[in-house]
């Protein structure tokens, strides 16, 4: 059941059509005098594109959706998955920021311009005169680097990479949860549709028996009580059909909601792949399945990553107890003034006005109310808690696998018993119908056997679908994935 993305030729074809159309319009826009010729060529292509596009839309609306197609669509269109993808992009930015934090930071000294004017006393003539003064300065550049801070920057980079790995596993886990929800909704709709089909057959058979009894009653061969009983039976199966149809509509609505499918469009599911599956016994051991699940399930990997994340939290908290050492340097250039001789560049680059600086700083945490010690203790407690949580996740998984194997075995047994019951109920109904025609039993006995046959068919349907669901859950625990999904997981690097 683990989510794996299958190729969609319709999506590729749609993208190819859009790309070709864009290139065609690009040629028309920039071809100058050949616009008319391009337009003549474009007309048959436009007609062809419209026909193909309409054909794809009609095919998409009338085709039947398999279980895997429903799962792929539900995962692709899920709003929570879209949020998860955005979060993964943020995790990638965090890795980039943490990597660049290991490099020195560079900052420029902001330049400033001042201009003053007005009347003032000339010191040479001691008379008032108009004055004007402009200066430009503040040019320079500075850089700083943290040499040592308890390896906090390195641990930050490790935590960012780990968070990105956790984001990938959370994406897979979320896709698995959506796949399970879609699968449950799919089988609910499939059961409802089969229930409607079986009940409709029962309604038709009951209608034929009712017409036959009406004719026999008119001929005086059957009493009126048999006619009333058969009419009640007909009303009962029609009531059951209406209920089944309502369940089918609700199941279809729920499947569209889980898939984020357009509620106004028709959605038909394909039951052929499920119908081909026949229940059979499987010799599977819980420990074997559990071992496979430990290697593949994202829940286990997330729990393991939580332990590593808590360990990095301990390292980060311990870094707060160490002193930090940083170095910085800067260089500043001269100022320009229109009251001095020389042009702008010569004044700015004057060696007598260029200043340089270099500093080394150290910060030692002596006392801060034991807050750093408390943070370290809390980080250690969280680290121990994450280990306990990992053990709980393992135990819960092993219990789920045990129950799933028992349910799978039970579904196989129930299916075989249900098939036997259906066969015997069919024989019993056929015999009861002959005995009723011979007048050996009443119509009530015939309706009882008919209802028993209907319930037997329901049991067979329910047992078979339960088996298919449990079988797919076992595939999920065993980590059966497509080659594309497996290669994607192998391409990820673990710190």
């Amino acid at each position: 059941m683990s989510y794996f993305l299958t190729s969609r030729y319709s999506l590729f074809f749609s993208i190819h059509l859009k790309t070709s159309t864009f290139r065609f319009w690009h040629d028309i826009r920039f071809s100058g005098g050949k616009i008319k010729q391009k337009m003549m060529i474009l007309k048959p292509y436009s007609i062809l594109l419209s026909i193909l596009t309409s054909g794809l839309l009609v095919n998409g609306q009338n085709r039947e959706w398999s279980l895997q197609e429903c799962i792929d669509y539900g995962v692709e269109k899920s709003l929570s998955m879209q949020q998860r993808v955005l979060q993964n992009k943020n995790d990638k930015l965090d890795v980039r920021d943490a990597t660049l934090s290991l490099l020195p930071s560079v900052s420029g000294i902001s330049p400033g311009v001042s201009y003053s004017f007005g009347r003032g006393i000339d010191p040479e003539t001691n008379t008032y005169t108009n004055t004007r003064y402009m200066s430009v300065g503040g040019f320079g550049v500075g850089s700083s680097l943290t040499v040592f801070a308890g390896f906090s920057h390195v641990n930050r980079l490790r935590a960012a990479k780990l968070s990105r790995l956790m984001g990938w596993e959370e994406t897979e886990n979320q896709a698995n949860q959506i796949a399970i929800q879609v699968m449950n909704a799919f089988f609910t709709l499939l059961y409802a549709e089969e229930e409607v089909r079986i009940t409709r057959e029962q309604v038709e058979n009951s209608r034929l028996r009712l017409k036959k009894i009406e004719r026999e009653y008119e001929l005086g061969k059957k009493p009126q009580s048999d006619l009333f009983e058969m009419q009640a039976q007909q009303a009962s199966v029609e009531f059951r059909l209406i209920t089944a149809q309502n369940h089918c509509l609700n199941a279809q609505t729920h499947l569209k909601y889980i898939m984020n499918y357009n509620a106004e469009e028709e959605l038909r599911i394909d039951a052929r792949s499920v119908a081909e599956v026949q229940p059979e016994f499987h010799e599977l051991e819980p420990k074997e399945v559990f071992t496979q699940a430990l290697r593949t399930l994202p829940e286990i990997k997330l729990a393991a990553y939580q332990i590593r994340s808590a360990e990095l939290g301990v390292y980060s908290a311990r870094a707060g107890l160490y002193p930090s050492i940083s170095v910085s340097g800067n260089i500043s250039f001269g100022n320009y003034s229109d009251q001095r001789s020389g042009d702008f560049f010569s004044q700015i680059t004057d060696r007598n006005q260029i200043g340089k600086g270099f500093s080394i700083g150290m910060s030692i945490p002596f006392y801060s109310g034991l807050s750093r010690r408390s943070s370290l203790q809390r980080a250690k407690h969280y680290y121990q808690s994450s280990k306990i949580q990992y053990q709980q996740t393992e135990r819960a998984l092993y219990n789920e696998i045990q129950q799933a194997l028992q349910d799978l075995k039970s579904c196989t047994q129930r299916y075989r018993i249900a098939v036997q019951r259906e066969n015997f109920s069919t024989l019993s109904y056929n015999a009861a119908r002959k005995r009723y025609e011979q007048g050996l039993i009443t119509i009530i006995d015939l309706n009882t056997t008919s209802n028993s046959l209907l319930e037997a068919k329901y049991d067979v349907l329910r047992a078979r679908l339960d088996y298919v669901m449990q079988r797919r859950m076992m595939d999920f625990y065993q980590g059966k994935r497509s080659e594309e999904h497996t290669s994607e997981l192998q391409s990820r690097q673990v710190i």
Side-chain angles (χ1 to χ4, degrees):
M1 193 66 79
S2 179
Y3 165 70
F4 56 92
L5 187 62
T6 57
S7 61
R8 289 185 175 84
Y9 297 102
S10 59
L11 178 60
F12 170 79
F13 190 55
S14 177
I15 295 175
H16 179 70
L17 289 179
K18 292 179 181 178
T19 307
S20 302
T21 306
F22 170 77
R23 291 175 180 174
F24 224 141
W25 278 108
H26 184 274
D27 293 340
I28 293 175
R29 184 177 179 182
F30 295 99
S31 60
K34 297 183 179 180
I35 295 181
K36 293 184 179 180
Q37 181 180 359
K38 292 287 186 177
M39 287 296 294
M40 295 299 294
I41 300 176
L42 180 63
K43 289 182 179 180
Y45 275 92
S46 301
I47 298 175
L48 177 61
L49 289 176
S50 62
I51 294 176
L52 292 176
T53 306
S54 61
L56 289 175
L57 294 176
V58 172
N59 185 31
Q61 293 177 356
N62 296 334
R63 70 184 182 92
E64 294 181 345
W65 291 65
S66 65
L67 174 59
Q68 188 58 49
E69 290 175 337
C70 291
I71 291 176
D72 292 341
Y73 186 92
V75 172
E76 180 183 356
K77 299 298 182 180
S78 172
L79 299 180
S80 59
M81 286 296 296
Q82 295 177 16
Q83 291 178 335
R84 185 67 253 177
V85 170
L86 294 177
Q87 183 59 42
N88 290 343
K89 293 182 179 179
N90 290 335
D91 294 339
K92 184 178 180 180
L93 294 177
D94 292 340
V95 173
R96 186 193 65 180
D97 295 342
T99 303
L100 296 179
S101 67
L102 300 175
L103 303 178
S105 61
V106 180
S107 60
I109 301 176
S110 303
V113 179
S114 64
Y115 180 80
S116 59
F117 60 92
R119 294 180 60 82
I121 299 178
D122 188 350
E124 296 182 356
T125 61
N126 199 25
T127 59
Y128 285 96
T129 182
N130 294 326
T131 61
R132 180 181 59 83
Y133 177 78
M134 184 183 69
S135 65
V136 181
F139 296 98
V141 64
S143 177
S144 62
L145 174 65
T146 301
V147 179
F148 178 78
F151 301 103
S152 59
H153 289 72
V154 176
N155 291 328
R156 177 190 173 189
L157 177 58
R158 292 176 178 175
K161 290 182 178 180
L162 182 63
S163 178
R164 189 180 182 186
L165 290 177
M166 294 175 63
W168 286 338
E169 297 300 334
E170 181 61 34
T171 302
E172 183 181 357
N173 182 39
Q174 200 165 339
N176 288 339
Q177 298 303 320
I178 296 174
I180 293 176
Q181 294 177 7
V182 172
M183 182 191 69
N184 292 331
F186 183 90
F187 280 105
T188 301
L189 176 57
L190 182 58
Y191 176 82
E193 290 183 349
E194 291 296 315
E195 184 182 15
V196 170
R197 181 186 62 81
I198 295 174
T199 308
R200 185 177 287 113
E201 292 178 357
Q202 187 71 9
V203 170
E204 185 63 24
N205 294 334
S206 178
R207 183 180 294 111
L208 295 177
R209 292 202 309 269
L210 178 59
K211 291 181 178 180
K212 183 177 180 180
I213 292 179
E214 287 177 348
R215 290 194 301 267
E216 292 178 348
Y217 169 73
E218 294 174 355
L219 297 175
K221 295 182 179 181
K222 296 294 181 182
Q224 191 177 20
S225 58
D226 286 1
L227 177 60
F228 290 157
E229 178 64 27
M230 196 60 220
Q231 289 174 342
Q233 174 69 11
Q234 178 67 19
S236 176
V237 292
E238 288 181 353
F239 177 83
R240 177 171 290 188
L241 176 60
I242 294 175
T243 304
Q245 290 174 341
N246 182 59
H247 291 166
C248 184
L249 293 176
N250 291 335
Q252 188 178 63
T253 302
H254 182 65
L255 178 59
K256 289 181 179 179
Y257 170 75
I258 296 297
M259 293 173 55
N260 200 20
Y261 192 83
N262 189 356
E264 303 299 329
E265 294 183 3
E266 182 183 5
L267 176 62
R268 296 191 302 171
I269 61 176
D270 183 11
R272 289 173 295 180
S273 59
V274 178
E276 296 174 355
V277 179
Q278 295 298 327
E280 56 183 3
F281 284 104
H282 296 273
E283 298 296 335
L284 297 175
E285 294 295 333
K287 291 184 179 180
E288 179 183 355
V289 179
F290 177 70
T291 303
Q292 295 174 342
L294 289 179
R295 296 194 302 263
T296 57
L297 284 188
E299 295 90 338
I300 299 298
K301 295 181 180 180
L302 279 174
Y305 287 155
Q306 288 291 346
I307 298 178
R308 177 59 176 166
S309 178
E311 185 179 10
L312 293 177
V314 174
Y315 295 158
S316 299
R318 186 175 292 144
L321 303 178
Y322 294 101
S324 61
I325 302 175
S326 61
V327 295
S328 62
N330 64 80
I331 179 172
S332 60
F333 299 94
N335 298 331
Y336 167 77
S337 174
D338 60 354
Q339 302 298 317
R340 297 198 306 264
S341 61
D343 57 4
F344 178 83
F345 182 77
S346 61
Q347 294 188 30
I348 292 298
T349 58
D350 187 2
R351 293 185 176 182
N352 296 326
Q353 298 190 52
I354 295 178
K356 302 176 182 179
F358 179 79
S359 63
I360 300 178
M362 175 182 291
S363 175
I364 302 176
F366 285 106
Y367 178 74
S368 59
L370 299 180
S371 61
R372 292 183 174 88
R373 292 285 180 180
S374 299
S375 298
L376 179 58
Q377 291 298 322
R378 279 192 290 267
K380 290 181 178 179
H381 295 162
Y382 183 74
Y383 177 61
Q384 296 297 329
S385 177
S386 62
K387 289 184 176 181
I388 297 175
Q389 182 63 37
Y390 181 82
Q391 295 177 359
Q392 291 178 348
T393 304
E394 280 189 336
R395 289 177 57 87
L397 176 62
Y398 190 82
N399 183 55
E400 289 179 4
I401 291 175
Q402 276 188 321
Q403 292 182 358
L405 285 174
Q406 183 61 35
D407 292 341
L408 181 62
K409 182 179 179 180
S410 175
C411 289
T412 306
Q413 295 173 346
R414 288 192 294 110
Y415 176 77
R416 294 189 175 184
I417 297 299
V419 170
Q420 293 179 4
R421 180 191 174 188
E422 182 185 14
N423 295 334
F424 292 139
S425 297
T426 302
L427 296 175
S428 176
Y429 171 73
N430 294 333
R433 186 175 58 182
K434 293 179 180 179
R435 295 180 64 188
Y436 174 75
E437 294 174 354
Q438 297 173 359
L440 300 178
I441 60 175
T442 63
I443 188 62
I444 298 177
D445 298 330
L446 179 61
N447 291 336
T448 301
T449 56
S450 176
N451 294 333
S452 178
L453 176 59
L454 181 62
E455 293 297 333
K457 291 181 179 180
Y458 289 156
D459 291 341
V460 171
L461 173 63
R462 188 181 298 108
R464 182 168 61 85
L465 294 183
D466 288 344
Y467 170 83
V468 177
M469 288 185 61
Q470 293 300 327
R471 181 63 224 177
R472 288 187 174 270
M473 286 303 300
M474 291 310 304
D475 293 340
F476 166 69
Y477 288 127
Q478 292 177 298
K480 294 183 178 180
R481 295 176 172 87
S482 65
E483 296 180 357
E484 178 183 356
H485 185 71
T486 303
S487 61
E488 179 185 354
L489 292 178
Q490 293 176 351
S491 64
R492 300 174 184 173
Q493 298 179 354
V494 183
I495 31 179

